[in-house]
């Protein structure tokens, strides 16, 4: 039995899939609350801010304080505002991400030739023209970041291409990888999470459905990790995976077995 001070929980594929609450999710959340664990929801969704998850989960009877939510969008906005103040950021991303960046006082430019920083992310309108402009924006040694590495996003009907797919195209034309990913599993994301929780990483449990983001985040930061099989990862994926979770759970409902 382990005494956890805090838990970092993924959302899509762990608590919900699309707009549907996953079976047992409420039971798992109640078990963590009964165990006295501080809770932080951390989504790699780069199109949403913290308020969205309170609104999204409220119909399911789950009360969420926006102060206990991070997304790759909010982490990226906070990081760029702190490390590149006043620098013009060329964004390949959604209008929602654009609004989140602007609310954080990040200066944006639509002119690729004026880019001082480039941020790549999920963009449903991504096109050949966007890729061409990205190539221009990435000339020289301009800092290059990605919100998250998720190649696909789970939805009700299956999966759709995510930020990782768009970043791969940008990397291919620019001939270089991003200088950093700002969402999970980066050190930037881990630091943002621990700053919110004020807990010892060794007494923190990370629960999520992705090995390369959720579990990698916890492993790198010295946290304990639990993979749930309600999202994109199944048991057959584990055999060939380089990233290993400490625990494998059928769903978030089984988290009570770790408490």
């Amino acid at each position: 039995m382990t005494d956890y001070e805090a838990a970092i929980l993924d959302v899509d594929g762990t608590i919900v899939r699309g707009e549907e609450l996953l079976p047992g999710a409420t039971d798992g959340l109640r078990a963590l609350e009964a165990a006295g664990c501080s809770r932080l929801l951390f989504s790699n969704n780069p199109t949403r801010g913290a308020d969205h998850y309170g609104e999204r989960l409220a119909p399911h009877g789950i009360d969420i304080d926006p102060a206990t939510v991070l997304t790759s969008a909010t982490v990226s906005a906070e990081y760029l505002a702190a490390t590149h103040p006043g620098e013009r950021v060329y964004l390949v991303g959604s209008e929602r991400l654009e609004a989140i960046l602007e609310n954080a006082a990040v200066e944006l430019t639509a002119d690729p030739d004026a880019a001082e920083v480039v941020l790549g992310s999920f963009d449903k309108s991504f096109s050949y023209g966007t890729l061409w402009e990205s190539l221009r924006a990435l000339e020289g040694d301009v800092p290059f970041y990605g919100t998250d590495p998720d190649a696909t996003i789970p939805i009700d009907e299956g999966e759709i291409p995510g930020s990782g797919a768009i970043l791969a195209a940008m990397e291919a034309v620019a001939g270089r990888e991003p200088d950093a990913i700002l969402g999970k599993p980066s050190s930037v994301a881990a630091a943002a999470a621990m700053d919110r929780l004020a807990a010892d990483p060794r007494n923190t449990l990370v629960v999520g459905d992705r090995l390369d983001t959720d579990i990698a985040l916890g492993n790198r930061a010295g946290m304990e990790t639990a993979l749930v099989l309600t999202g994109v990862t199944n048991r057959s994926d584990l055999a060939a995976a380089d990233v290993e979770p400490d625990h494998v759970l059928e769903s978030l409902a089984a988290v009570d077995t770790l408490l």
Side-chain angles (χ1 to χ4, degrees):
M1 302 293 285
T2 303
D3 293 324
Y4 299 112
E5 294 179 59
I8 299 171
L9 306 175
D10 178 49
V11 183
D12 294 290
T14 301
I15 298 174
V16 295
R17 187 178 186 98
E19 296 304 317
E20 296 296 319
L21 187 70
L22 286 166
T26 302
D27 294 334
L29 293 171
R30 287 174 179 162
L32 288 165
E33 184 177 357
C37 288
S38 300
R39 183 182 69 194
L40 178 72
L41 270 57
F42 198 154
S43 169
N44 251 6
N45 187 334
T47 69
R48 297 293 189 178
D51 290 343
H52 167 74
Y53 289 96
E55 297 167 0
R56 185 176 179 187
L57 295 175
H60 301 295
I62 300 172
D63 184 30
I64 300 295
D65 179 353
T68 64
V69 179
L70 288 175
T71 71
S72 65
T74 60
V75 170
S76 296
E78 291 172 5
Y79 180 84
L80 292 177
T83 60
H84 297 280
E87 295 184 43
R88 296 184 297 272
V89 177
Y90 178 80
L91 171 66
V92 176
S94 68
E95 290 182 358
R96 289 175 180 161
L97 176 56
E98 181 177 339
I100 291 168
L101 292 168
E102 289 177 337
N103 288 339
V106 175
E107 184 174 344
L108 299 175
T109 180
D111 180 1
D113 298 320
E116 295 173 291
V117 179
V118 174
L119 178 65
S121 186
F122 173 77
D123 183 3
K124 281 187 176 180
S125 63
F126 188 75
S127 66
Y128 183 87
T130 309
L131 189 58
W132 189 357
E133 289 194 349
S134 299
L135 176 60
R136 288 163 53 194
L138 286 166
E139 290 179 356
D141 58 356
V142 61
F144 176 25
Y145 300 108
T147 54
D148 64 281
D150 294 5
T152 60
I153 301 169
I155 60 172
D156 291 331
E157 296 80 16
E159 295 180 325
I160 59 174
S163 302
I166 290 171
L167 285 169
M170 295 173 69
E171 291 172 20
V173 295
R176 63 182 175 113
E177 297 179 354
D179 299 308
I181 295 295
L182 303 178
K184 296 180 292 187
S186 72
S187 58
V188 172
M194 298 318 299
D195 183 58
R196 291 289 180 94
L197 287 169
D200 187 332
R202 295 171 297 180
N203 297 327
T204 300
L205 176 68
V206 180
V207 185
D209 69 309
R210 287 183 180 268
L211 292 169
D212 59 347
T213 56
D214 304 309
I215 305 308
L217 173 84
N219 288 353
R220 292 177 184 179
M223 306 170 190
E224 195 152 338
T225 58
L227 176 76
V228 291
L229 301 176
T230 48
V232 301
T233 307
N234 55 47
R235 288 192 183 276
S236 62
D237 296 325
L238 292 169
D242 295 328
V243 179
E244 294 184 11
D246 295 306
H247 309 281
V248 179
L249 307 176
E250 291 296 328
S251 71
L252 183 58
V255 74
D256 65 348
T257 62
L258 308 180
L259 304 174

